[in-house]
């Protein structure tokens, strides 16, 4: 299991999602640093540094596949404060990427 920690921003989340594909992580979870509680002592921790270019690449590809309305829905999920938000967004991106 690999745990990706990001800064809690929208661009940070999409940078993390880019790195899931870039490093071909299979068993992965994403958390913002402020909401992370070490639960799995065997998980490998990967610190994500937000990079606008990586985030934009993911968003541009998604826009081609799901349009601006789909991006808007992902933004709504991001803003929902759902504790499973990162998991939901990652799952949606994997379906359309």
């Amino acid at each position: 299991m690999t745990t990706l920690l990001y800064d809690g921003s929208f661009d940070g989340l999409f940078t993390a999602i880019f790195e899931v594909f870039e490093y071909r992580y299979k068993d992965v979870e994403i958390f913002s640093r402020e909401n992370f509680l070490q639960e799995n002592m065997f998980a490998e921790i990967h610190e994500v540094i937000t990079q606008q270019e990586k985030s934009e690449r993911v968003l541009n590809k998604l826009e081609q596949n799901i349009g601006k309305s789909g991006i808007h829905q992902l933004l709504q999920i991001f803003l929902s404060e759902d504790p499973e938000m990162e998991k939901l967004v990652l799952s949606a991106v994997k379906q359309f990427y």
Side-chain angles (χ1 to χ4, degrees):
M1 170 73 69
T2 303
T3 301
L4 280 73
L5 299 180
Y6 74 104
D7 63 6
S9 69
F10 191 67
D11 283 328
L13 175 59
F14 280 89
T15 301
I17 290 171
F18 181 93
E19 292 186 2
V20 167
F21 290 100
E22 180 180 29
Y23 299 122
R24 296 189 172 119
Y25 291 132
K26 297 294 181 210
D27 192 16
V28 66
E29 57 188 0
I30 302 173
F31 292 100
S32 69
R33 283 185 200 97
E34 66 185 36
N35 294 333
F36 178 64
L37 301 171
Q38 178 86 26
E39 292 181 16
N40 184 347
M41 62 187 274
F42 300 109
E44 176 186 334
I45 304 297
H46 174 79
E47 293 275 343
V48 175
I49 298 170
T50 300
Q51 296 179 36
Q52 188 75 31
E53 305 82 38
K54 288 183 177 182
S55 175
E56 285 179 9
R57 282 181 62 183
V58 174
L59 288 168
N60 289 337
K61 180 70 170 177
L62 282 172
E63 188 176 342
Q64 291 173 5
N65 293 330
I66 61 175
K68 289 189 185 291
S69 63
I71 301 294
H72 181 73
Q73 289 175 345
L74 291 176
L75 180 59
Q76 287 179 321
I77 294 169
F78 176 78
L79 296 172
S80 71
E81 298 184 16
D82 185 318
E84 298 281 312
M85 175 270 299
E86 290 92 352
K87 183 186 244 182
L88 292 169
V89 173
L90 178 60
S91 176
V93 171
K94 283 183 174 180
Q95 287 181 359
F96 298 109
Y97 206 75

